[in-house]
Amino acid sequence: MKTNPATSVAKTGAATTRWNPSPWRQDFPLIAEQTGLAYLDNAATTQKPTAVLNAVRAYYRERNANVHRAAHQLSDAATRAFEAAREKVAARFGASSAKEVIWTRGTTEAINLVAAAYAPLVLAEGDNVLISRMEHHSNIVPWQIACSRFGARLRAVAVLPNGELDLDDFDAKLDERTKIVALSHVSNALGTVNPVADLTARAKAAGAAVVVDGAQAAAHIEIDLRALGCDFYAFSGHKMYAPTGIGALIGRQELLEAMPPWQTGGEMIEHVRIEATTYAPPPFKFEAGTPNIAGAIGLAAAVDYLNDLDFARVASHEADLLAYATASLNQINGLRIVGTAGNKSPVLSFLAQGAHPHDIGALLDQQGVAVRAGHHCAMPLMETLGLPGTVRASFGLYNSRADVDALVTAVHKALSLL
Ligand code: PMP
């Protein structure tokens, strides 16, 4: 097994002042066992703690049955666990009730749901939808399609060279024909934390509904939807230590009630006749077919895991990693950090000496450092910044300064090979 060079440095004590171990590392088997790996691709997906792995396994071993068809005890147990998971998610995010939580495959499906079922209620010819140039493709393409369906225009707020949203441009592009504002809480490519509460207030004052893409926020920021004030919030479980294939759209109840279903079939109906069908109330109206029961139960375990942590301590650990990584990479000749917003999540994008990001990514991988390289599903942002892409290191709560040291060592080596 490869050893992580930075870990061994720290263990010898040669760099003890730099050694800031994560208290949560042992909770994650993949991280704890693969000692040669510096996993710095958390913005793509996070590893899973034992508590989540156990919850999924226990569900399949002890309670596996379909939900909402409780003719037998096993189904009843599965249904209760599944609905308890919804309650947990509602409480963690500050939803008004569990009825506001619609299970989806993740952020992408959640945004598509809003674009398919809410946009038709409000968009007409000449209206506009306001996004930004830093959005992930999953918060761009659904709006392009919705706009083209209704003859509306898609507007995109400019991004400043440091990776912050241009707030003057936001005000300039928001008008009385703006029906939907859809923004990321945190940029996956640059780590910028957008002032979504403030922007929501401005959008609501202009009469627009607000959709927040919380994919990159959920693991790093304690989200209170009452304080944010948005109408829809989308997130993915797999980016917050839960399984893949599960996430949610949290929506304001009166809007969910007014929205038509989008996918149809079993589970989402009240009564079906050949002539016509009546629908179940939200959230079930939006959950056609057998849901990802194990995923929801795994997500509830991830929420329990996060609830049990001192989140202020997590936030300060991650802020320390970001500051340490920023300072360390800034010392490397020819390396440029992309995205220097004042308020950043633990995401660090960079470019090195004109080398293509993919080449750097491959050379880092050979040294046991897992990062992402490319456009990060944010091509309009890369176009705005005039870049082919970046190398992105993104941190989770199990990372430590030793992982940053491994990154820095590996970047030096990569540059020496180019
Ligand atoms: N938005 C942002 C900001 C993201 O980072 C991602 C995932 N990279 C998504 C949306 C899409 O998430 P998912 O693939 O889990 O649906």
Side-chain angles (χ1 to χ4, degrees):
M1 187 178 284
K2 287 181 285 185
T3 53
N4 179 330
T7 309
S8 42
V9 168
K11 277 184 182 154
T12 62
T16 38
T17 51
R18 300 160 113 202
W19 177 238
N20 173 27
S22 163
W24 305 289
R25 196 173 174 88
Q26 293 307 319
D27 298 342
F28 293 80
L30 187 148
I31 295 290
E33 286 160 23
Q34 300 202 22
T35 52
L37 175 69
Y39 184 76
L40 301 177
D41 196 16
N42 293 284
T45 199
T46 54
Q47 303 303 335
K48 320 304 173 200
T50 305
V52 168
L53 303 177
N54 286 349
V56 172
R57 183 181 157 91
Y59 164 69
Y60 278 126
R61 284 180 67 98
E62 296 157 22
R63 275 185 289 183
N64 177 50
N66 213 327
V67 290
H68 302 139
R69 294 166 191 166
H72 55 82
Q73 289 171 33
L74 213 50
S75 170
D76 190 44
T79 303
R80 277 191 280 111
F82 181 68
E83 291 306 323
R86 204 189 297 272
E87 301 273 351
K88 273 192 183 146
V89 166
R92 167 111 195 140
F93 285 80
S96 303
S97 105
K99 292 181 193 152
E100 298 193 325
V101 177
I102 299 162
W103 297 124
T104 63
R105 282 189 292 127
T107 308
T108 303
E109 193 174 51
I111 296 171
N112 272 275
L113 196 171
V114 185
Y118 178 73
L121 299 184
V122 291
L123 278 189
E125 193 160 346
D127 288 338
N128 66 76
V129 172
L130 184 57
I131 60 169
S132 86
R133 295 196 72 87
M134 73 167 74
E135 298 310 310
H136 187 279
H137 297 159
S138 60
N139 201 26
I140 300 174
V141 186
W143 303 117
Q144 286 174 336
I145 292 173
C147 285
S148 70
R149 269 177 80 191
F150 300 104
R153 287 203 39 208
L154 188 61
R155 293 179 174 172
V157 179
V159 175
L160 299 170
N162 71 352
E164 290 180 358
L165 275 186
D166 181 337
L167 301 183
D168 293 336
D169 195 48
F170 178 88
D171 287 336
K173 290 197 165 119
L174 177 73
D175 63 20
E176 73 287 350
R177 300 301 304 265
T178 307
K179 295 297 159 62
I180 298 170
V181 172
L183 295 172
S184 49
H185 197 161
V186 173
S187 154
N188 65 311
L190 304 180
T192 310
V193 179
N194 289 317
V196 279
D198 173 36
L199 298 178
T200 296
R202 297 189 205 189
K204 306 284 293 179
V210 178
V211 185
V212 177
D213 169 353
Q216 293 298 335
H220 307 289
I221 297 173
E222 270 189 305
I223 292 145
D224 180 4
L225 293 181
R226 286 164 297 229
L228 286 189
C230 59
D231 298 288
F232 299 99
Y233 196 90
F235 70 93
S236 302
H238 72 97
K239 294 187 198 281
M240 54 177 287
Y241 311 111
T244 48
I246 188 73
L249 174 72
I250 306 181
R252 210 180 277 289
Q253 194 169 343
E254 61 269 25
L255 299 184
L256 297 179
E257 272 161 14
M259 285 157 59
W262 73 312
Q263 295 172 349
T264 59
E267 296 274 312
M268 51 73 70
I269 54 87
E270 186 182 62
H271 193 84
V272 179
R273 288 182 304 126
I274 293 299
E275 295 73 23
T277 292
T278 53
Y279 307 122
F284 308 112
K285 179 167 65 173
F286 302 105
E287 294 179 358
T290 299
N292 183 352
I293 306 163
I297 287 168
L299 175 54
V303 166
D304 281 341
Y305 177 77
L306 291 174
N307 286 348
D308 284 347
L309 302 178
D310 175 352
F311 214 74
R313 203 168 154 219
V314 172
S316 88
H317 176 72
E318 292 182 347
D320 173 74
L321 291 177
L322 179 66
Y324 181 62
T326 305
S328 306
L329 288 182
N330 265 333
Q331 280 170 15
I332 299 178
N333 268 344
L335 190 141
R336 174 157 79 89
I337 290 175
V338 183
T340 52
N343 190 2
K344 273 187 74 172
S345 191
V347 171
L348 202 52
S349 259
F350 59 91
L351 286 167
Q353 268 177 14
H356 196 282
H358 286 145
D359 294 337
I360 298 285
L363 289 167
L364 297 188
D365 180 50
Q366 285 168 15
Q367 301 172 76
V369 177
V371 294
R372 176 93 167 239
H375 54 64
H376 314 297
C377 299
M379 286 173 140
L381 175 64
M382 295 303 145
E383 191 190 322
T384 301
L385 299 172
L387 302 174
T390 67
V391 183
R392 180 189 72 186
S394 53
F395 302 93
L397 51 76
Y398 36 67
N399 289 123
S400 66
R401 284 188 175 207
D403 294 321
V404 177
D405 292 340
L407 170 68
V408 171
T409 305
V411 170
H412 275 298
K413 176 107 182 266
L415 293 180
S416 74
L417 293 172
L418 283 170

